[in-house]
Amino acid sequence: MKIAVLGAGAWGTALAVNAARAADAGVTRHQVTLWARNAAQVQALQAERANTRYLPGIALPASLLLQGGGEASLGEAVKGQDLIILATPVSAARSMLMQLQHVEAPVAWLSKGFEAAVSAEPASASLAQPFGLMVHEVRAQVAPDLRAGVFSGPSFALEVARGQPTALVAASAHAEVREALVAAFHGASLRVYASDDMVGVEVGGAVKNVMAIAAGLCDGLQLGLNARAALITRGLAEITRLGVALGARAETFTGLSGLGDLVLTATGDLSRNRKVGLLLAQGKTLAEVLESLGHVAEGVYCARTVVQRAASLGVDMPIAQSVVALLDGKLKASEAVALLMEREPRTELDCY
């Protein structure tokens, strides 16, 4: 099986390493190509046989092919592939999907979040949105005929690259996309489950980042394990409400891409979004937090969109609203917690 991974950040590199390592060991017969847009990055990867910026200490398998350096090289990288993995940030998904719209191979993206709202300039007025879209919605606009899906679930790139046990979800309306992802990555250290609820998987992957900021805030203020458990549970309720309103199935959110990804991101020390909350609790400004991270924390950029979409659907999301107010500087950390605790009592099941 020929697999191309487009994007040499931490997550793209980790998946490419995982698949190529299995091929080197004779477990699979995959040929894996890792593509990067920046020619200098490709040269560094080739020279060092490691991605020292994103995954220091992880050697690139001998069989892993490296390509890149621009749009022309992208065409070469995807030619003749059996599966294409889009491992770019959400902000690059639209342009990449437009370039891939006519490929015949199945395509799956790793991005979790919402893109920025499309501007309403005359040339793009027909695509203008009052809020950002998830990647499956972008694909419907720019590449509707593409056989595509999302590959998501509770996973830190470093642990996948190390070969530590991980379980993911391959979600698509197309059976051939789900089957290709299972064939490409299911193995000794990576278990892949299939789902046809692409909306639910994407909502879970995107909104858990916002809830992880709140969980980091909770831990940073030393509110205790009871508070963290309550926040995660109520955060899952908010994610489920929004997902169902957008057409997802409620049961998806009790699975890997819902509860699983939320617990990992809200409690794991490798979580960038949790770290945002921890640093804000220390009194740092958002600008200081973002400068210290060095990597994208999607929850910061999609929190406002989550709240906007929820409001447009009449969905109540008080935790997400508090995170936005905190990020905007309208609330202090302690005030955000007090605001949530002072809400009127309700019957638990009525909150879903």
Side-chain angles (χ1 to χ4, degrees):
M1 187 176 189
K2 294 182 178 180
I3 305 164
V5 180
L6 309 181
W11 195 198
T13 302
L15 268 187
V17 165
N18 186 282
R21 187 183 289 140
D24 282 1
V27 177
T28 68
R29 300 180 63 182
H30 300 329
Q31 176 182 300
V32 187
T33 299
L34 179 62
W35 177 90
R37 184 181 301 277
N38 188 294
Q41 184 186 13
V42 177
Q43 292 174 356
L45 292 172
Q46 290 172 334
E48 300 167 359
R49 295 308 297 180
N51 192 333
T52 55
R53 177 181 178 185
Y54 293 106
L55 288 176
I58 302 296
L60 300 183
S63 67
L64 181 61
L65 305 177
L66 300 169
Q67 285 187 311
E71 292 186 8
S73 67
L74 178 62
E76 288 298 316
V78 302
K79 186 177 180 180
Q81 301 291 344
D82 299 308
L83 174 66
I84 298 168
I85 301 296
L86 185 55
T88 61
V90 173
S91 58
R94 181 177 292 268
S95 63
M96 291 295 289
L97 286 170
M98 290 179 70
Q99 295 176 73
L100 297 173
Q101 61 181 307
H102 298 305
V103 302
E104 296 182 0
V107 174
W109 50 84
L110 310 179
S111 313
K112 297 179 180 180
F114 295 79
E115 70 167 1
V118 178
S119 66
E121 296 176 2
S124 61
S126 62
L127 298 178
Q129 300 289 338
F131 35 63
L133 303 179
M134 286 176 286
V135 182
H136 77 270
E137 296 169 316
V138 175
R139 194 273 305 174
Q141 284 188 345
V142 303
D145 297 326
L146 196 66
R147 292 178 299 155
V150 56
F151 200 31
S152 189
S155 50
F156 289 136
L158 182 59
E159 293 191 359
V160 171
R162 287 172 174 167
Q164 293 178 269
T166 303
L168 298 174
V169 179
S172 176
H174 304 279
E176 58 266 43
V177 177
R178 302 192 297 269
E179 292 165 0
L181 286 166
V182 172
F185 297 107
H186 190 90
S189 65
L190 195 59
R191 185 170 183 84
V192 182
Y193 292 83
S195 170
D196 61 359
D197 186 6
M198 190 157 59
V199 175
V201 170
E202 282 225 280
V203 171
V207 186
K208 55 90 181 179
N209 289 324
V210 181
M211 301 305 163
I213 294 175
L217 179 68
C218 175
D219 288 345
L221 293 174
Q222 299 183 336
L223 300 183
L225 299 178
N226 293 349
R228 180 205 281 178
L231 190 145
I232 290 174
T233 305
R234 298 314 311 156
L236 181 62
E238 292 192 17
I239 294 171
T240 303
R241 286 198 297 267
L242 179 61
V244 170
L246 287 168
R249 294 196 298 271
E251 58 266 27
T252 296
F253 300 102
T254 64
L256 289 167
S257 60
L259 178 60
D261 211 354
L262 174 60
V263 169
L264 180 75
T265 311
T267 65
D269 290 336
L270 293 175
S271 168
R272 294 189 296 272
N273 291 283
R274 178 174 182 270
K275 188 174 181 180
V276 170
L278 288 170
L279 294 175
L280 289 173
Q282 295 175 11
K284 294 185 181 295
T285 66
L286 181 59
E288 291 171 335
V289 170
L290 297 180
E291 183 178 356
S292 70
L293 285 180
H295 296 270
V296 174
E298 289 285 4
V300 173
Y301 303 106
C302 76
R304 184 174 290 101
T305 297
V306 169
V307 170
Q308 290 172 338
R309 296 207 70 166
S312 73
L313 296 165
V315 174
D316 187 30
M317 298 191 71
I319 297 175
Q321 292 167 357
S322 295
V323 170
V324 171
L326 180 66
L327 295 175
D328 286 347
K330 296 178 180 178
L331 284 179
K332 295 180 181 179
S334 58
E335 293 172 337
V337 173
L339 184 64
L340 290 171
M341 294 303 294
E342 291 168 1
R343 285 169 53 83
E344 291 295 320
R346 299 175 64 182
T347 301
E348 182 182 24
L349 295 183
D350 291 340
C351 299
Y352 284 87

mmCIF file with all atom_site columns, all heavy atoms in Angstrom, residues 152-177:
data_model
loop_
_atom_site.group_PDB
_atom_site.id
_atom_site.type_symbol
_atom_site.label_atom_id
_atom_site.label_alt_id
_atom_site.label_comp_id
_atom_site.label_asym_id
_atom_site.label_entity_id
_atom_site.label_seq_id
_atom_site.pdbx_PDB_ins_code
_atom_site.Cartn_x
_atom_site.Cartn_y
_atom_site.Cartn_z
_atom_site.occupancy
_atom_site.B_iso_or_equiv
_atom_site.pdbx_formal_charge
_atom_site.auth_seq_id
_atom_site.auth_comp_id
_atom_site.auth_asym_id
_atom_site.auth_atom_id
_atom_site.pdbx_PDB_model_num
ATOM 1   N N   . SER A 1 152 ? -9.048  10.526 13.753 1.00 0.00 ? 152 SER A N   1
ATOM 2   C CA  . SER A 1 152 ? -9.018  11.282 14.995 1.00 0.00 ? 152 SER A CA  1
ATOM 3   C C   . SER A 1 152 ? -9.034  10.338 16.197 1.00 0.00 ? 152 SER A C   1
ATOM 4   O O   . SER A 1 152 ? -9.063  9.126  16.054 1.00 0.00 ? 152 SER A O   1
ATOM 5   C CB  . SER A 1 152 ? -10.229 12.227 15.043 1.00 0.00 ? 152 SER A CB  1
ATOM 6   O OG  . SER A 1 152 ? -10.163 13.124 16.114 1.00 0.00 ? 152 SER A OG  1
ATOM 7   N N   . GLY A 1 153 ? -9.005  10.926 17.392 1.00 0.00 ? 153 GLY A N   1
ATOM 8   C CA  . GLY A 1 153 ? -9.061  10.143 18.614 1.00 0.00 ? 153 GLY A CA  1
ATOM 9   C C   . GLY A 1 153 ? -8.016  10.580 19.614 1.00 0.00 ? 153 GLY A C   1
ATOM 10  O O   . GLY A 1 153 ? -7.203  11.466 19.340 1.00 0.00 ? 153 GLY A O   1
ATOM 11  N N   . PRO A 1 154 ? -8.016  9.980  20.803 1.00 0.00 ? 154 PRO A N   1
ATOM 12  C CA  . PRO A 1 154 ? -7.106  10.398 21.877 1.00 0.00 ? 154 PRO A CA  1
ATOM 13  C C   . PRO A 1 154 ? -5.666  9.999  21.573 1.00 0.00 ? 154 PRO A C   1
ATOM 14  O O   . PRO A 1 154 ? -5.297  8.826  21.680 1.00 0.00 ? 154 PRO A O   1
ATOM 15  C CB  . PRO A 1 154 ? -7.654  9.655  23.102 1.00 0.00 ? 154 PRO A CB  1
ATOM 16  C CG  . PRO A 1 154 ? -8.345  8.454  22.528 1.00 0.00 ? 154 PRO A CG  1
ATOM 17  C CD  . PRO A 1 154 ? -8.909  8.889  21.216 1.00 0.00 ? 154 PRO A CD  1
ATOM 18  N N   . SER A 1 155 ? -4.841  10.974 21.205 1.00 0.00 ? 155 SER A N   1
ATOM 19  C CA  . SER A 1 155 ? -3.485  10.628 20.760 1.00 0.00 ? 155 SER A CA  1
ATOM 20  C C   . SER A 1 155 ? -2.549  11.819 20.896 1.00 0.00 ? 155 SER A C   1
ATOM 21  O O   . SER A 1 155 ? -2.844  12.900 20.397 1.00 0.00 ? 155 SER A O   1
ATOM 22  C CB  . SER A 1 155 ? -3.516  10.180 19.298 1.00 0.00 ? 155 SER A CB  1
ATOM 23  O OG  . SER A 1 155 ? -4.224  11.123 18.500 1.00 0.00 ? 155 SER A OG  1
ATOM 24  N N   . PHE A 1 156 ? -1.440  11.612 21.561 1.00 0.00 ? 156 PHE A N   1
ATOM 25  C CA  . PHE A 1 156 ? -0.334  12.552 21.538 1.00 0.00 ? 156 PHE A CA  1
ATOM 26  C C   . PHE A 1 156 ? 0.675   12.037 20.520 1.00 0.00 ? 156 PHE A C   1
ATOM 27  O O   . PHE A 1 156 ? 1.037   10.856 20.539 1.00 0.00 ? 156 PHE A O   1
ATOM 28  C CB  . PHE A 1 156 ? 0.317   12.678 22.911 1.00 0.00 ? 156 PHE A CB  1
ATOM 29  C CG  . PHE A 1 156 ? -0.518  13.406 23.938 1.00 0.00 ? 156 PHE A CG  1
ATOM 30  C CD1 . PHE A 1 156 ? -0.643  12.914 25.229 1.00 0.00 ? 156 PHE A CD1 1
ATOM 31  C CD2 . PHE A 1 156 ? -1.180  14.583 23.601 1.00 0.00 ? 156 PHE A CD2 1
ATOM 32  C CE1 . PHE A 1 156 ? -1.402  13.578 26.179 1.00 0.00 ? 156 PHE A CE1 1
ATOM 33  C CE2 . PHE A 1 156 ? -1.957  15.254 24.551 1.00 0.00 ? 156 PHE A CE2 1
ATOM 34  C CZ  . PHE A 1 156 ? -2.066  14.757 25.833 1.00 0.00 ? 156 PHE A CZ  1
ATOM 35  N N   . ALA A 1 157 ? 1.131   12.922 19.654 1.00 0.00 ? 157 ALA A N   1
ATOM 36  C CA  . ALA A 1 157 ? 2.019   12.515 18.563 1.00 0.00 ? 157 ALA A CA  1
ATOM 37  C C   . ALA A 1 157 ? 3.264   11.798 19.066 1.00 0.00 ? 157 ALA A C   1
ATOM 38  O O   . ALA A 1 157 ? 3.695   10.796 18.485 1.00 0.00 ? 157 ALA A O   1
ATOM 39  C CB  . ALA A 1 157 ? 2.410   13.746 17.742 1.00 0.00 ? 157 ALA A CB  1
ATOM 40  N N   . LEU A 1 158 ? 3.848   12.284 20.148 1.00 0.00 ? 158 LEU A N   1
ATOM 41  C CA  . LEU A 1 158 ? 5.081   11.699 20.642 1.00 0.00 ? 158 LEU A CA  1
ATOM 42  C C   . LEU A 1 158 ? 4.888   10.236 21.037 1.00 0.00 ? 158 LEU A C   1
ATOM 43  O O   . LEU A 1 158 ? 5.748   9.389  20.760 1.00 0.00 ? 158 LEU A O   1
ATOM 44  C CB  . LEU A 1 158 ? 5.597   12.509 21.837 1.00 0.00 ? 158 LEU A CB  1
ATOM 45  C CG  . LEU A 1 158 ? 6.926   12.049 22.450 1.00 0.00 ? 158 LEU A CG  1
ATOM 46  C CD1 . LEU A 1 158 ? 8.039   12.091 21.409 1.00 0.00 ? 158 LEU A CD1 1
ATOM 47  C CD2 . LEU A 1 158 ? 7.288   12.912 23.662 1.00 0.00 ? 158 LEU A CD2 1
ATOM 48  N N   . GLU A 1 159 ? 3.772   9.914  21.671 1.00 0.00 ? 159 GLU A N   1
ATOM 49  C CA  . GLU A 1 159 ? 3.532   8.536  22.084 1.00 0.00 ? 159 GLU A CA  1
ATOM 50  C C   . GLU A 1 159 ? 3.301   7.629  20.879 1.00 0.00 ? 159 GLU A C   1
ATOM 51  O O   . GLU A 1 159 ? 3.735   6.471  20.871 1.00 0.00 ? 159 GLU A O   1
ATOM 52  C CB  . GLU A 1 159 ? 2.356   8.475  23.056 1.00 0.00 ? 159 GLU A CB  1
ATOM 53  C CG  . GLU A 1 159 ? 2.648   9.150  24.388 1.00 0.00 ? 159 GLU A CG  1
ATOM 54  C CD  . GLU A 1 159 ? 1.598   8.861  25.455 1.00 0.00 ? 159 GLU A CD  1
ATOM 55  O OE1 . GLU A 1 159 ? 0.618   8.138  25.152 1.00 0.00 ? 159 GLU A OE1 1
ATOM 56  O OE2 . GLU A 1 159 ? 1.760   9.354  26.575 1.00 0.00 ? 159 GLU A OE2 1
ATOM 57  N N   . VAL A 1 160 ? 2.612   8.142  19.855 1.00 0.00 ? 160 VAL A N   1
ATOM 58  C CA  . VAL A 1 160 ? 2.425   7.351  18.634 1.00 0.00 ? 160 VAL A CA  1
ATOM 59  C C   . VAL A 1 160 ? 3.772   7.095  17.967 1.00 0.00 ? 160 VAL A C   1
ATOM 60  O O   . VAL A 1 160 ? 4.059   5.984  17.509 1.00 0.00 ? 160 VAL A O   1
ATOM 61  C CB  . VAL A 1 160 ? 1.466   8.081  17.665 1.00 0.00 ? 160 VAL A CB  1
ATOM 62  C CG1 . VAL A 1 160 ? 1.438   7.389  16.307 1.00 0.00 ? 160 VAL A CG1 1
ATOM 63  C CG2 . VAL A 1 160 ? 0.057   8.115  18.248 1.00 0.00 ? 160 VAL A CG2 1
ATOM 64  N N   . ALA A 1 161 ? 4.618   8.119  17.906 1.00 0.00 ? 161 ALA A N   1
ATOM 65  C CA  . ALA A 1 161 ? 5.937   7.968  17.301 1.00 0.00 ? 161 ALA A CA  1
ATOM 66  C C   . ALA A 1 161 ? 6.806   6.979  18.078 1.00 0.00 ? 161 ALA A C   1
ATOM 67  O O   . ALA A 1 161 ? 7.645   6.280  17.495 1.00 0.00 ? 161 ALA A O   1
ATOM 68  C CB  . ALA A 1 161 ? 6.629   9.325  17.227 1.00 0.00 ? 161 ALA A CB  1
ATOM 69  N N   . ARG A 1 162 ? 6.607   6.918  19.379 1.00 0.00 ? 162 ARG A N   1
ATOM 70  C CA  . ARG A 1 162 ? 7.368   5.967  20.200 1.00 0.00 ? 162 ARG A CA  1
ATOM 71  C C   . ARG A 1 162 ? 6.843   4.540  20.094 1.00 0.00 ? 162 ARG A C   1
ATOM 72  O O   . ARG A 1 162 ? 7.463   3.595  20.573 1.00 0.00 ? 162 ARG A O   1
ATOM 73  C CB  . ARG A 1 162 ? 7.305   6.390  21.669 1.00 0.00 ? 162 ARG A CB  1
ATOM 74  C CG  . ARG A 1 162 ? 8.143   7.617  22.007 1.00 0.00 ? 162 ARG A CG  1
ATOM 75  C CD  . ARG A 1 162 ? 7.861   8.055  23.436 1.00 0.00 ? 162 ARG A CD  1
ATOM 76  N NE  . ARG A 1 162 ? 8.733   9.147  23.862 1.00 0.00 ? 162 ARG A NE  1
ATOM 77  C CZ  . ARG A 1 162 ? 8.530   9.882  24.960 1.00 0.00 ? 162 ARG A CZ  1
ATOM 78  N NH1 . ARG A 1 162 ? 7.471   9.618  25.728 1.00 0.00 ? 162 ARG A NH1 1
ATOM 79  N NH2 . ARG A 1 162 ? 9.352   10.844 25.278 1.00 0.00 ? 162 ARG A NH2 1
ATOM 80  N N   . GLY A 1 163 ? 5.666   4.381  19.483 1.00 0.00 ? 163 GLY A N   1
ATOM 81  C CA  . GLY A 1 163 ? 5.070   3.060  19.370 1.00 0.00 ? 163 GLY A CA  1
ATOM 82  C C   . GLY A 1 163 ? 4.298   2.645  20.588 1.00 0.00 ? 163 GLY A C   1
ATOM 83  O O   . GLY A 1 163 ? 4.015   1.455  20.790 1.00 0.00 ? 163 GLY A O   1
ATOM 84  N N   . GLN A 1 164 ? 3.881   3.622  21.415 1.00 0.00 ? 164 GLN A N   1
ATOM 85  C CA  . GLN A 1 164 ? 3.082   3.293  22.590 1.00 0.00 ? 164 GLN A CA  1
ATOM 86  C C   . GLN A 1 164 ? 1.628   3.043  22.170 1.00 0.00 ? 164 GLN A C   1
ATOM 87  O O   . GLN A 1 164 ? 1.137   3.643  21.216 1.00 0.00 ? 164 GLN A O   1
ATOM 88  C CB  . GLN A 1 164 ? 3.165   4.430  23.610 1.00 0.00 ? 164 GLN A CB  1
ATOM 89  C CG  . GLN A 1 164 ? 4.562   4.592  24.206 1.00 0.00 ? 164 GLN A CG  1
ATOM 90  C CD  . GLN A 1 164 ? 4.655   5.754  25.177 1.00 0.00 ? 164 GLN A CD  1
ATOM 91  O OE1 . GLN A 1 164 ? 4.972   6.872  24.768 1.00 0.00 ? 164 GLN A OE1 1
ATOM 92  N NE2 . GLN A 1 164 ? 4.388   5.500  26.445 1.00 0.00 ? 164 GLN A NE2 1
ATOM 93  N N   . PRO A 1 165 ? 0.916   2.149  22.878 1.00 0.00 ? 165 PRO A N   1
ATOM 94  C CA  . PRO A 1 165 ? -0.437  1.754  22.465 1.00 0.00 ? 165 PRO A CA  1
ATOM 95  C C   . PRO A 1 165 ? -1.389  2.945  22.333 1.00 0.00 ? 165 PRO A C   1
ATOM 96  O O   . PRO A 1 165 ? -1.470  3.796  23.227 1.00 0.00 ? 165 PRO A O   1
ATOM 97  C CB  . PRO A 1 165 ? -0.891  0.819  23.586 1.00 0.00 ? 165 PRO A CB  1
ATOM 98  C CG  . PRO A 1 165 ? 0.381   0.275  24.144 1.00 0.00 ? 165 PRO A CG  1
ATOM 99  C CD  . PRO A 1 165 ? 1.368   1.402  24.064 1.00 0.00 ? 165 PRO A CD  1
ATOM 100 N N   . THR A 1 166 ? -2.103  2.993  21.219 1.00 0.00 ? 166 THR A N   1
ATOM 101 C CA  . THR A 1 166 ? -3.020  4.091  20.909 1.00 0.00 ? 166 THR A CA  1
ATOM 102 C C   . THR A 1 166 ? -4.210  3.543  20.133 1.00 0.00 ? 166 THR A C   1
ATOM 103 O O   . THR A 1 166 ? -4.063  2.586  19.370 1.00 0.00 ? 166 THR A O   1
ATOM 104 C CB  . THR A 1 166 ? -2.312  5.166  20.052 1.00 0.00 ? 166 THR A CB  1
ATOM 105 O OG1 . THR A 1 166 ? -1.154  5.644  20.739 1.00 0.00 ? 166 THR A OG1 1
ATOM 106 C CG2 . THR A 1 166 ? -3.225  6.346  19.754 1.00 0.00 ? 166 THR A CG2 1
ATOM 107 N N   . ALA A 1 167 ? -5.384  4.138  20.323 1.00 0.00 ? 167 ALA A N   1
ATOM 108 C CA  . ALA A 1 167 ? -6.577  3.760  19.557 1.00 0.00 ? 167 ALA A CA  1
ATOM 109 C C   . ALA A 1 167 ? -7.158  5.005  18.900 1.00 0.00 ? 167 ALA A C   1
ATOM 110 O O   . ALA A 1 167 ? -7.294  6.050  19.538 1.00 0.00 ? 167 ALA A O   1
ATOM 111 C CB  . ALA A 1 167 ? -7.619  3.109  20.462 1.00 0.00 ? 167 ALA A CB  1
ATOM 112 N N   . LEU A 1 168 ? -7.488  4.893  17.623 1.00 0.00 ? 168 LEU A N   1
ATOM 113 C CA  . LEU A 1 168 ? -8.010  6.012  16.851 1.00 0.00 ? 168 LEU A CA  1
ATOM 114 C C   . LEU A 1 168 ? -9.293  5.614  16.125 1.00 0.00 ? 168 LEU A C   1
ATOM 115 O O   . LEU A 1 168 ? -9.642  4.439  16.047 1.00 0.00 ? 168 LEU A O   1
ATOM 116 C CB  . LEU A 1 168 ? -6.967  6.486  15.826 1.00 0.00 ? 168 LEU A CB  1
ATOM 117 C CG  . LEU A 1 168 ? -5.650  7.026  16.383 1.00 0.00 ? 168 LEU A CG  1
ATOM 118 C CD1 . LEU A 1 168 ? -4.677  7.307  15.244 1.00 0.00 ? 168 LEU A CD1 1
ATOM 119 C CD2 . LEU A 1 168 ? -5.883  8.275  17.207 1.00 0.00 ? 168 LEU A CD2 1
ATOM 120 N N   . VAL A 1 169 ? -9.964  6.628  15.576 1.00 0.00 ? 169 VAL A N   1
ATOM 121 C CA  . VAL A 1 169 ? -11.209 6.407  14.831 1.00 0.00 ? 169 VAL A CA  1
ATOM 122 C C   . VAL A 1 169 ? -11.031 6.887  13.390 1.00 0.00 ? 169 VAL A C   1
ATOM 123 O O   . VAL A 1 169 ? -10.586 8.013  13.151 1.00 0.00 ? 169 VAL A O   1
ATOM 124 C CB  . VAL A 1 169 ? -12.386 7.163  15.471 1.00 0.00 ? 169 VAL A CB  1
ATOM 125 C CG1 . VAL A 1 169 ? -13.662 6.943  14.661 1.00 0.00 ? 169 VAL A CG1 1
ATOM 126 C CG2 . VAL A 1 169 ? -12.597 6.714  16.899 1.00 0.00 ? 169 VAL A CG2 1
ATOM 127 N N   . ALA A 1 170 ? -11.384 6.035  12.451 1.00 0.00 ? 170 ALA A N   1
ATOM 128 C CA  . ALA A 1 170 ? -11.409 6.386  11.032 1.00 0.00 ? 170 ALA A CA  1
ATOM 129 C C   . ALA A 1 170 ? -12.858 6.635  10.661 1.00 0.00 ? 170 ALA A C   1
ATOM 130 O O   . ALA A 1 170 ? -13.663 5.700  10.613 1.00 0.00 ? 170 ALA A O   1
ATOM 131 C CB  . ALA A 1 170 ? -10.828 5.248  10.195 1.00 0.00 ? 170 ALA A CB  1
ATOM 132 N N   . ALA A 1 171 ? -13.206 7.899  10.416 1.00 0.00 ? 171 ALA A N   1
ATOM 133 C CA  . ALA A 1 171 ? -14.609 8.250  10.174 1.00 0.00 ? 171 ALA A CA  1
ATOM 134 C C   . ALA A 1 171 ? -14.812 8.792  8.769  1.00 0.00 ? 171 ALA A C   1
ATOM 135 O O   . ALA A 1 171 ? -14.092 9.694  8.334  1.00 0.00 ? 171 ALA A O   1
ATOM 136 C CB  . ALA A 1 171 ? -15.071 9.287  11.195 1.00 0.00 ? 171 ALA A CB  1
ATOM 137 N N   . SER A 1 172 ? -15.778 8.246  8.086  1.00 0.00 ? 172 SER A N   1
ATOM 138 C CA  . SER A 1 172 ? -16.106 8.705  6.734  1.00 0.00 ? 172 SER A CA  1
ATOM 139 C C   . SER A 1 172 ? -17.445 8.127  6.318  1.00 0.00 ? 172 SER A C   1
ATOM 140 O O   . SER A 1 172 ? -17.851 7.060  6.800  1.00 0.00 ? 172 SER A O   1
ATOM 141 C CB  . SER A 1 172 ? -15.020 8.270  5.738  1.00 0.00 ? 172 SER A CB  1
ATOM 142 O OG  . SER A 1 172 ? -15.374 8.622  4.408  1.00 0.00 ? 172 SER A OG  1
ATOM 143 N N   . ALA A 1 173 ? -18.099 8.824  5.405  1.00 0.00 ? 173 ALA A N   1
ATOM 144 C CA  . ALA A 1 173 ? -19.319 8.289  4.804  1.00 0.00 ? 173 ALA A CA  1
ATOM 145 C C   . ALA A 1 173 ? -18.983 7.245  3.747  1.00 0.00 ? 173 ALA A C   1
ATOM 146 O O   . ALA A 1 173 ? -19.853 6.488  3.308  1.00 0.00 ? 173 ALA A O   1
ATOM 147 C CB  . ALA A 1 173 ? -20.132 9.416  4.181  1.00 0.00 ? 173 ALA A CB  1
ATOM 148 N N   . HIS A 1 174 ? -17.719 7.194  3.346  1.00 0.00 ? 174 HIS A N   1
ATOM 149 C CA  . HIS A 1 174 ? -17.263 6.271  2.301  1.00 0.00 ? 174 HIS A CA  1
ATOM 150 C C   . HIS A 1 174 ? -16.575 5.068  2.927  1.00 0.00 ? 174 HIS A C   1
ATOM 151 O O   . HIS A 1 174 ? -15.549 5.217  3.602  1.00 0.00 ? 174 HIS A O   1
ATOM 152 C CB  . HIS A 1 174 ? -16.295 6.980  1.351  1.00 0.00 ? 174 HIS A CB  1
ATOM 153 C CG  . HIS A 1 174 ? -16.844 8.219  0.726  1.00 0.00 ? 174 HIS A CG  1
ATOM 154 N ND1 . HIS A 1 174 ? -17.673 8.209  -0.375 1.00 0.00 ? 174 HIS A ND1 1
ATOM 155 C CD2 . HIS A 1 174 ? -16.696 9.523  1.064  1.00 0.00 ? 174 HIS A CD2 1
ATOM 156 C CE1 . HIS A 1 174 ? -18.010 9.436  -0.699 1.00 0.00 ? 174 HIS A CE1 1
ATOM 157 N NE2 . HIS A 1 174 ? -17.425 10.257 0.155  1.00 0.00 ? 174 HIS A NE2 1
ATOM 158 N N   . ALA A 1 175 ? -17.085 3.895  2.678  1.00 0.00 ? 175 ALA A N   1
ATOM 159 C CA  . ALA A 1 175 ? -16.507 2.683  3.255  1.00 0.00 ? 175 ALA A CA  1
ATOM 160 C C   . ALA A 1 175 ? -15.064 2.487  2.820  1.00 0.00 ? 175 ALA A C   1
ATOM 161 O O   . ALA A 1 175 ? -14.219 2.040  3.610  1.00 0.00 ? 175 ALA A O   1
ATOM 162 C CB  . ALA A 1 175 ? -17.343 1.463  2.858  1.00 0.00 ? 175 ALA A CB  1
ATOM 163 N N   . GLU A 1 176 ? -14.732 2.844  1.563  1.00 0.00 ? 176 GLU A N   1
ATOM 164 C CA  . GLU A 1 176 ? -13.374 2.632  1.080  1.00 0.00 ? 176 GLU A CA  1
ATOM 165 C C   . GLU A 1 176 ? -12.354 3.501  1.815  1.00 0.00 ? 176 GLU A C   1
ATOM 166 O O   . GLU A 1 176 ? -11.198 3.123  1.970  1.00 0.00 ? 176 GLU A O   1
ATOM 167 C CB  . GLU A 1 176 ? -13.282 2.879  -0.433 1.00 0.00 ? 176 GLU A CB  1
ATOM 168 C CG  . GLU A 1 176 ? -13.713 4.251  -0.893 1.00 0.00 ? 176 GLU A CG  1
ATOM 169 C CD  . GLU A 1 176 ? -15.169 4.313  -1.314 1.00 0.00 ? 176 GLU A CD  1
ATOM 170 O OE1 . GLU A 1 176 ? -16.018 3.739  -0.606 1.00 0.00 ? 176 GLU A OE1 1
ATOM 171 O OE2 . GLU A 1 176 ? -15.448 4.946  -2.364 1.00 0.00 ? 176 GLU A OE2 1
ATOM 172 N N   . VAL A 1 177 ? -12.795 4.674  2.308  1.00 0.00 ? 177 VAL A N   1
ATOM 173 C CA  . VAL A 1 177 ? -11.899 5.531  3.089  1.00 0.00 ? 177 VAL A CA  1
ATOM 174 C C   . VAL A 1 177 ? -11.636 4.892  4.446  1.00 0.00 ? 177 VAL A C   1
ATOM 175 O O   . VAL A 1 177 ? -10.488 4.815  4.911  1.00 0.00 ? 177 VAL A O   1
ATOM 176 C CB  . VAL A 1 177 ? -12.496 6.939  3.260  1.00 0.00 ? 177 VAL A CB  1
ATOM 177 C CG1 . VAL A 1 177 ? -11.588 7.797  4.134  1.00 0.00 ? 177 VAL A CG1 1
ATOM 178 C CG2 . VAL A 1 177 ? -12.696 7.605  1.900  1.00 0.00 ? 177 VAL A CG2 1
#
